[in-house]
Amino acid sequence: MTTKNKAPSVTRPASEAPVSGFEKVFGFLREQLLDRRIRNGDRLLPERELAEQLGVSRPIVREALRALSMLGVVEIRERLGTVVRQPDISVLGDVFAFSLAQTGDAIDDVMQARVALECQAIRLACQRATNADIDRLRAALDLIEATVDDTANGGLADFDFHYALVRASKSDTIVQMYGAIATLLTRSHKDRRRIVGDHDESMKRAVVEDHRRLLQAVVTGDEDAADQALRAHFKIGNEFRRQKALAPSVRPPTTNGKEMTS
């Protein structure tokens, strides 16, 4: 007695937790992408065929595809169908920021992830940085120096330097992960610049020289020196935040028990 080969199942075993139709569509397309069965530019099956293959209704498929379209994973074209696209990381970064913004210690947690990403990135940059990467880092350093007294633009200059450093790693995964937390990192850079602005000129010069040492380590390709310089740079930033947290809050003067406002 012979048995026919069964088609690969796209659903979970009955013993596992039930999966919604929406999750089935997301999971199926995710696995197809990871297995490289579909790629950027490929056109998906029509909604009716996808619905039949996954055992869900066409409205569920349509809803899932619209959600994926908002994330930039697919593009729904009139009379052509649904085409696979590579998402813009900035869109995913916004989703990530909205998610983390609801946790009380989001910035501190993101900073820990940043340390891990950048410490590996700078080591790779020492091996892989091109002349264009070095030029980009030098331009960012010049901007850091020019904006040392400007909290907002200085914070952006700081971010640009570190993002250029990450890009110089030539690791697509690290670059995309870093880009996903870019919104929160930019905020962190601005906060740090605000704290630096409360210190004397020597502290502002130290910020510039820190970044200069990072650039020099990448130029010379010294991975250990680069790693040490970056960790020292992060340590200073952590100390700034600690001092800010410990500083007593200043309340407006009061008159007759009421706060004075201007």
Side-chain angles (χ1 to χ4, degrees):
M1 179 177 176
T2 60
T3 58
K4 294 182 180 180
N5 292 329
K6 293 183 178 180
S9 175
V10 295
T11 60
R12 296 180 183 178
S15 59
E16 295 188 17
V19 179
S20 71
F22 196 88
E23 290 173 320
K24 282 185 183 180
V25 179
F26 263 58
F28 174 70
L29 294 179
R30 182 179 61 245
E31 292 305 313
Q32 293 286 302
L33 285 166
L34 289 173
D35 291 342
R36 306 291 288 174
R37 294 178 184 173
I38 54 176
R39 304 187 183 191
N40 186 15
D42 286 350
R43 187 170 60 177
L44 297 180
L45 292 173
E47 289 179 2
R48 177 180 56 78
E49 293 183 40
L50 271 178
E52 290 177 356
Q53 186 171 349
L54 297 173
V56 299
S57 67
R58 287 185 66 179
I60 288 292
V61 170
R62 190 174 302 117
E63 181 184 359
L65 292 179
R66 285 175 179 168
L68 289 168
S69 177
M70 293 180 66
L71 291 174
V73 178
V74 299
E75 179 183 355
I76 302 174
R77 297 181 179 178
E78 195 72 28
R79 292 190 296 275
L80 180 61
T82 304
V83 179
V84 177
R85 287 287 177 250
Q86 183 171 357
D88 180 353
I89 193 63
S90 64
V91 176
L92 300 182
D94 288 339
V95 174
F96 197 63
F98 275 119
S99 176
L100 285 179
Q102 299 181 54
T103 63
D105 57 351
I107 295 296
D108 287 340
D109 194 44
V110 167
M111 284 302 298
Q112 295 306 314
R114 177 195 172 192
V115 171
L117 291 172
E118 281 198 44
C119 284
Q120 179 60 17
I122 199 169
R123 284 187 172 274
L124 293 174
C126 287
Q127 304 170 20
R128 304 173 178 177
T130 63
N131 289 336
D133 292 316
I134 299 301
D135 289 343
R136 194 177 295 115
L137 284 165
R138 283 190 174 127
L141 177 60
D142 289 343
L143 193 56
I144 287 174
E145 190 162 16
T147 59
V148 73
D149 294 314
D150 185 336
T151 297
N153 290 322
L156 292 175
D158 279 352
F159 173 78
D160 287 346
F161 180 94
H162 287 272
Y163 197 24
L165 186 62
V166 169
R167 290 172 61 191
S169 73
K170 299 296 184 287
S171 167
D172 289 341
T173 300
I174 292 178
V175 171
Q176 292 203 36
M177 291 176 69
Y178 199 85
I181 57 176
T183 300
L184 293 173
L185 288 182
T186 302
R187 185 185 184 91
S188 173
H189 281 293
K190 289 181 179 179
D191 288 343
R192 175 172 171 167
R193 272 303 187 99
R194 192 174 295 110
I195 298 170
V196 170
D198 295 334
H199 290 72
D200 57 26
E201 290 300 317
S202 63
M203 187 62 70
K204 295 177 182 179
R205 296 306 310 171
V207 170
V208 176
E209 293 308 314
D210 262 13
H211 291 90
R212 197 182 307 280
R213 278 190 287 273
L214 294 174
L215 171 58
Q216 185 59 33
V218 173
V219 170
T220 59
D222 190 335
E223 294 182 39
D224 290 337
D227 184 88
Q228 292 171 14
L230 185 58
R231 290 182 186 278
H233 180 61
F234 285 139
K235 187 175 181 180
I236 293 173
N238 290 338
E239 180 61 21
F240 282 157
R241 285 189 293 276
R242 189 186 72 84
Q243 291 178 14
K244 181 182 179 182
L246 293 176
S249 59
V250 178
R251 296 177 61 84
T254 61
T255 299
N256 297 328
K258 296 182 179 180
E259 292 185 354
M260 294 177 61
T261 59
S262 58

